[in-house]
Amino acid sequence: QVHLEESGGGAVQAGGFLRLSCKASGYTNRRYCMGWFRQAPGKEREDVAAIDHDGRTKYLDSVKGRFTISEDNASNAVFLEMSSLKPEDTAVYYCALENGATIATLERATLAEFAFIGQGTQVSVSS
């Protein structure tokens, strides 16, 4: 069983910066895809960013150029650096992992459908 532990959420003003971390413990495959999706009240769930074991990435259009996803394979951790934050980025951010998946998996599935989901971390951006 894989456990995902998230950290790094918080409250910032517009234009600010936050760094989210997600560490996976338990069994993980050498081939995997990890990422972040977000859910805000009254809004549709969105896949924000993802990265696979080969370092391929995928971003939501509205965060391109502002968010960067990276990974540390040695520690089974994924990071999301969020800069130039906007009030519309306010949401609960969830980390997700699927063993055996790649970025191409997201052409037919969403991060919320991945087998392992973290508990979520709140990001609040004020104007």
Side-chain angles (χ1 to χ4, degrees):
Q1 183 72 15
V2 175
H3 175 70
L4 301 177
E5 184 172 351
E6 300 144 332
S7 60
V12 296
Q13 291 188 325
F17 174 88
L18 284 173
R19 184 174 188 256
L20 305 184
S21 299
C22 176
K23 181 172 173 57
S25 59
Y27 171 75
T28 54
N29 197 303
R30 285 183 64 250
R31 294 172 57 85
Y32 65 87
C33 184
M34 289 182 74
W36 298 86
F37 66 92
R38 66 189 181 188
Q39 179 72 66
K43 295 185 178 180
E44 290 190 2
R45 186 173 55 220
E46 297 179 307
D47 281 358
V48 177
I51 189 167
D52 67 16
H53 55 277
D54 284 335
R56 290 177 291 238
T57 59
K58 181 180 176 70
Y59 292 95
L60 180 67
D61 284 346
S62 63
V63 308
K64 287 180 180 177
R66 300 189 297 121
F67 291 11
T68 302
I69 190 168
S70 61
E71 61 187 351
D72 179 353
N73 290 333
S75 61
N76 293 329
V78 170
F79 309 97
L80 185 67
E81 294 185 331
M82 307 184 293
S83 60
S84 302
L85 282 160
K86 303 176 180 180
E88 51 263 44
D89 294 319
T90 295
V92 178
Y93 284 68
Y94 297 88
C95 179
L97 178 148
E98 183 74 40
N99 283 317
T102 68
I103 283 296
T105 302
L106 293 173
E107 294 175 6
R108 59 186 185 277
T110 66
L111 289 167
E113 296 172 272
F114 278 15
F116 304 105
I117 307 291
Q119 80 282 1
T121 185
Q122 176 70 47
V123 171
S124 298
V125 185
S126 59
S127 58

